[in-house]
């Protein structure tokens, strides 16, 4: 079990982090307003009605406004090796993962045939829409063969959400020739009952769930990152945070 003496400190850290995030967001808004007031040309009455999405405008009282901005379509990015800075940020096994609003999924697939060899790569989901875990099977194994035996290993920046966990469990039950192991840097919202139910469903479907230990971070760095032959310098509390998440996962799937 994790050391309970850490709980008050983590609550304090969470409160301080939330206050810092609020301050930073307020600063961003003030900076945008200041830039608009200093550099934006005068807007004639009614001109703001034709402003493009995301454009700055002023109303009749001279108050600063920002038009709603339409976000681009969500997508899944697939590649061979991850940017080193993205890896260090997204895979850092902190408890309160502020700003880490996407999932990186590094995968190894052994199809049991010498001709195909070992498939390797990564998926990255962009904020919403289809998640990387959900996209893996149709995007990375589009030509699934029930006659083959698949050994699949994932190294993910955070464990699956409840919806993805349920879908993965369904795939594993339907495809008994697929053996999946998931190594997670962090546990995503592990306190939530539905998240715990999803992890239990994965475990019951035969998925091996593990938390990434320091050696796993180094292996992922060597295997999936554009590291330019530079070693990974692990952060100070990497081992401590691994032990914390390891105990939490063990409690959930026991």
């Amino acid at each position: 079990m994790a050391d309970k003496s850490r709980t008050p400190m983590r609550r304090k850290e969470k409160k301080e982090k939330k206050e810092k995030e609020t301050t930073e967001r307020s600063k961003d808004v003030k900076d945008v307003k200041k830039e608009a007031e200093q550099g934006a040309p005068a807007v004639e009455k009614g001109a703001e009605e034709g402003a493009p999405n995301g454009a700055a405008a002023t109303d009749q009282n001279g108050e600063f406004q920002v038009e709603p901005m339409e976000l681009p379509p969500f997508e899944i990015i697939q590649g061979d090796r991850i940017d080193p800075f993205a890896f260090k940020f997204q895979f850092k096994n902190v408890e309160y993962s502020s700003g880490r609003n996407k999932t990186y999924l590094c995968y190894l697939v052994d199809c049991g045939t010498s001709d195909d060899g070992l498939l390797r790569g990564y998926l990255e989901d962009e904020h919403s829409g289809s998640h990387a875990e959900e996209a893996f099977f149709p995007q990375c194994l589009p030509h699934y063969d029930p006659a083959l035996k698949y050994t699949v290993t994932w190294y993910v920046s955070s464990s699956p959400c409840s919806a993805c966990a349920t879908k993965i469990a369904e795939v594993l039950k339907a495809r008994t020739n697929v053996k999946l192991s998931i190594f997670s840097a962090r546990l995503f919202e592990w306190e939530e009952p539905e998240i715990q139910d999803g992890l239990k469903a994965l475990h019951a479907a035969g998925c091996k769930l593990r938390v990434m230990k320091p050696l796993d971070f180094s292996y992922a760095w060597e295997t999936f990152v554009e590291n330019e032959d530079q070693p990974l310098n692990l952060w100070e509390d990497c081992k401590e945070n691994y032990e914390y998440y390891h105990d939490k996962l063990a409690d959930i799937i026991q």
Side-chain angles (χ1 to χ4, degrees), residues 122-215:
Y122 80 91
L123 297 176
E124 169 192 349
D125 60 39
E126 283 292 335
H127 307 292
S128 184
S130 181
H131 291 183
E133 301 95 328
E134 181 183 356
F136 172 80
F137 290 99
Q139 192 156 328
C140 300
L141 294 178
H143 306 297
Y144 164 76
D145 186 347
L148 298 178
K149 292 184 177 181
Y150 296 86
T151 302
V152 182
T153 305
W154 290 355
Y155 295 88
V156 292
S157 54
S158 65
S159 58
C161 66
S162 57
C164 285
T166 300
K167 293 177 181 179
I168 297 168
E170 292 174 352
V171 171
L172 295 179
K173 289 178 181 179
R175 302 179 178 183
T176 56
N177 59 326
V178 176
K179 304 301 179 184
L180 175 63
S181 298
I182 301 178
F183 293 79
S184 303
R186 302 182 304 276
L187 295 182
F188 174 72
E189 296 184 354
W190 61 266
E191 307 97 329
E192 301 298 329
E194 61 270 21
I195 296 294
Q196 296 184 10
D197 290 342
L199 294 175
K200 291 177 181 177
L202 277 175
H203 181 66
C207 178
K208 292 183 178 180
L209 296 172
R210 301 288 187 272
V211 174
M212 291 177 68
K213 60 182 65 175
L215 186 62

Side-chain angles (χ1 to χ4, degrees), residues 40-95:
V43 180
E44 296 181 0
K45 183 178 178 180
E48 63 272 13
E49 296 178 0
N53 287 341
T58 56
D59 60 15
Q60 295 180 0
N61 297 322
E63 292 294 327
F64 174 80
Q65 294 180 332
V66 177
E67 295 294 329
M69 181 174 63
E70 183 177 351
L71 295 175
F74 300 116
E75 62 177 341
I76 298 293
I77 297 174
Q78 185 172 6
D80 182 55
R81 288 186 177 270
I82 302 173
D83 176 83
F85 298 102
F87 178 87
K88 291 178 181 179
F89 178 72
Q90 296 291 345
F91 275 83
K92 192 170 185 179
N93 61 350
V94 292
E95 181 178 357

Side-chain angles (χ1 to χ4, degrees), residues 11-37:
R11 288 175 179 171
K12 180 180 179 182
E13 292 173 352
K14 185 175 182 181
K15 181 179 179 181
E16 292 175 348
K17 185 176 287 295
K18 185 176 181 180
E19 292 175 348
K20 181 179 179 182
E21 290 171 356
T22 302
T23 301
E24 291 176 348
R25 284 196 296 269
S26 299
K27 182 177 181 298
D28 290 340
V29 172
K30 291 179 180 178
D31 289 344
V32 172
K33 182 176 180 179
K34 183 177 180 181
E35 291 175 2
E37 291 175 344

Side-chain angles (χ1 to χ4, degrees), residues 93-119:
N93 61 350
V94 292
E95 181 178 357
Y96 302 114
S97 51
S98 176
R100 296 168 175 85
N101 56 355
K102 61 173 66 177
T103 298
Y104 279 80
L105 186 158
C106 303
Y107 62 85
L108 292 171
V109 180
D110 185 354
C111 302
T113 59
S114 57
D115 294 339
D116 293 337
L118 196 66
L119 302 179

